[in-house]
Amino acid sequence: YEKRYQPIADGSKAKMNVGAIAVMPEGWKLAPRDRLPKALKKEMKGLAWAPYSKEQPNILVAGPVPGERYETMVLPILAPDPAKNPNVVFDKASIFFGGNRGRGQVYPEGNQSNNNQFFSANTGTVTDIDGMKLSVTLGDGTVATQEVLPGATIVVKVGDSVAKDQPITTNPNVGGFGQAEKEVVLQDMTRVYAYCALSVSIFLSQLSFVLKKKQFEKVQLAEGF
């Protein structure tokens, strides 16, 4: 992240930001800050997770935050209690994670951002380049003007022949999106305690059998058998 830069709205370069999303099963939610240990609070300083909406507190989002500082994001989760939520059972569940690096290529309105590679809209010959505007003379002699957004570098020059959909700029996008799926187990502590008790009882039984056997062997040796 120290060496990667992205174009911002005015075309200049800036350090990359990152963001993340976590989609958890129903009933799971963000752990309250007052329940976090001090070490975790310190590690998360400056990083704020928030529910996607009041209706969907199990979907959490974070960012944009500086990618140089937050290459790893810590997400504190509060597991649901099946005793209080009848829709939750002790079982294995999946959590889906998504991470985004860099600016988006499309604005919410649907129009392109300048974080894109641009392609020729026509077939013809480049006859003029004025800043970020290209004039292409078509086969019938008409001139078509195409404007690209600042951020990328124009790779064609006056006199070049271009075909429709041919790249006419570099690709400034150095970001991307990734996703992963992880499984977690919501376990009943009563089962854990029962398993521990069973394991200890088996261990003590085996130990008593071994000690009894050793004692029996000593008796046999003492009696000359």
Side-chain angles (χ1 to χ4, degrees):
Y1 288 99
E2 295 179 358
K3 298 180 180 180
R4 287 179 177 267
Y5 287 81
Q6 62 178 352
I8 56 178
D10 62 1
S12 59
K13 299 295 180 68
K15 292 185 176 181
M16 295 179 61
N17 291 331
V18 294
I21 182 172
V23 182
M24 303 179 294
E26 182 182 351
W28 297 66
K29 59 183 180 180
L30 183 67
R33 188 167 182 79
D34 58 358
R35 297 184 62 175
L36 302 181
K38 290 184 178 180
L40 189 56
K41 288 181 181 179
K42 184 177 180 181
E43 188 176 358
M44 292 181 61
K45 187 177 181 180
L47 178 63
W49 288 89
Y52 179 74
S53 66
K54 292 182 179 180
E55 294 75 20
Q56 295 176 307
N58 59 312
I59 301 179
L60 305 174
V61 294
V65 292
E68 185 177 353
R69 179 177 178 182
Y70 296 103
E71 288 191 33
T72 301
M73 295 185 181
V74 178
L75 173 60
I77 296 175
L78 182 63
D81 185 358
K84 299 179 181 179
N85 189 342
N87 296 323
V88 178
V89 295
F90 293 110
D91 198 2
K92 183 167 61 176
S94 296
I95 299 180
F96 303 91
F97 299 95
N100 182 73
R101 181 178 66 186
R103 291 178 62 232
Q105 294 179 285
V106 180
Y107 289 118
E109 297 80 10
N111 53 316
Q112 277 188 322
S113 73
N114 64 331
N115 193 29
N116 278 281
Q117 183 177 29
F118 291 87
F119 302 86
S120 176
N122 302 279
T123 298
T125 302
V126 179
T127 54
D128 184 54
I129 299 177
D130 181 13
M132 303 305 292
K133 291 183 179 180
L134 288 84
S135 297
V136 177
T137 301
L138 310 184
D140 59 3
T142 59
V143 178
T145 302
Q146 180 178 353
E147 184 175 2
V148 298
L149 299 177
T153 303
I154 296 176
V155 296
V156 295
K157 59 183 182 295
V158 174
D160 287 351
S161 296
V162 293
K164 185 178 181 180
D165 296 328
Q166 174 185 331
I168 56 177
T169 69
T170 56
N171 186 359
N173 182 25
V174 292
F177 181 83
Q179 59 187 21
E181 177 184 355
K182 298 295 181 179
E183 290 187 341
V184 295
V185 177
L186 183 61
Q187 185 63 271
D188 186 357
M189 289 307 298
T190 303
R191 300 177 186 175
V192 177
Y193 297 146
Y195 171 76
C196 292
L198 178 62
S199 299
V200 171
S201 63
I202 293 175
F203 171 76
L204 293 177
S205 299
Q206 293 292 332
L207 180 62
S208 63
F209 288 145
V210 171
L211 294 176
K212 191 66 177 178
K213 183 180 179 182
K214 292 292 184 181
Q215 184 182 18
F216 180 72
E217 290 175 351
K218 288 181 179 180
V219 171
Q220 284 186 318
L221 290 174
E223 294 180 353
F225 290 99

